[in-house]
Amino acid sequence: MKYEELDKLITEMSGENASDDYWYDVGVNDAMTLLEKFSELDWKLLSENIMDKSLEWQKRVVYCFEEENDAREISIVLSLIETTDKELFEMCIDSLRFLINEKNKEYIINNNELMEKLIKMASLDNMTGRICREFLNKLQ
């Protein structure tokens, strides 16, 4: 089962002794390769277990998402977007900028709570605000 391999990989690379450089140089590619081989059961397990994972684990998996029009990735990102962690929130929005397209953007637009949060964050004069503004522009 590929989910178990991904879980082990990210857990090991999210630990105290893990190197961020190694994650970005090697781990990301390994994780993305595993995600490409996910079965529907693997996606179900990831979706069911993501909220129980550490904040670092969640950030690492969101960083790996890149498949435009993959509703499973969008759904997972949206489950994490309610976070109070600023960095994870920014990563979720950044990830959504690449996942969103004409076929699935209505899913975001119809999420009133998320849209309100995005509009509020877009008014900030910082990186978070810029990311949110770019994402909102892509939704139009």
Side-chain angles (χ1 to χ4, degrees):
M1 188 162 290
K2 296 300 174 192
Y3 169 76
E4 291 168 350
E5 291 179 46
L6 180 73
D7 185 28
K8 182 179 180 206
L9 173 71
I10 294 177
T11 298
E12 288 173 357
M13 295 202 171
S14 301
E16 240 175 66
N17 298 323
S19 160
D20 281 343
D21 288 338
Y22 187 76
W23 165 251
Y24 290 108
D25 291 343
V26 177
V28 169
N29 292 329
D30 291 348
M32 290 170 81
T33 298
L34 287 170
L35 285 168
E36 289 172 4
K37 297 175 183 174
F38 261 34
S39 67
E40 285 304 315
L41 179 58
D42 291 315
W43 282 107
K44 184 176 186 256
L45 289 169
L46 177 59
S47 182
E48 289 173 352
N49 292 297
I50 190 85
M51 299 308 283
D52 296 328
K53 299 299 182 184
S54 71
L55 189 57
E56 272 312 303
W57 200 102
Q58 292 171 348
K59 289 176 186 176
R60 295 209 191 276
V61 81
V62 167
Y63 189 82
C64 295
F65 289 165
E66 67 172 6
E67 287 296 319
E68 187 173 292
N69 200 26
D70 192 321
R72 299 166 300 199
E73 290 182 0
I74 292 170
S75 177
I76 290 169
V77 170
L78 289 175
S79 72
L80 294 172
I81 208 163
E82 299 302 323
T83 182
T84 57
D85 183 79
K86 181 182 171 193
E87 184 180 6
L88 179 56
F89 177 78
E90 288 175 359
M91 291 177 79
C92 287
I93 296 301
D94 200 39
S95 180
L96 286 175
R97 287 190 309 165
F98 297 102
L99 297 173
I100 205 77
N101 65 30
E102 287 301 316
K103 294 178 182 176
N104 59 31
K105 74 179 183 180
E106 290 298 318
Y107 187 74
I108 304 286
I109 292 169
N110 292 329
N111 184 327
N112 293 332
E113 189 175 315
L114 174 59
M115 290 300 292
E116 287 175 18
K117 185 174 183 178
L118 287 168
I119 291 167
K120 180 180 176 185
M121 300 292 282
S123 67
L124 299 174
D125 189 26
N126 59 19
M127 181 61 85
T128 301
R130 186 181 66 77
I131 290 169
C132 289
R133 286 188 298 276
E134 287 178 15
F135 181 63
L136 288 170
N137 285 337
K138 189 162 184 177
L139 289 176
Q140 295 179 358

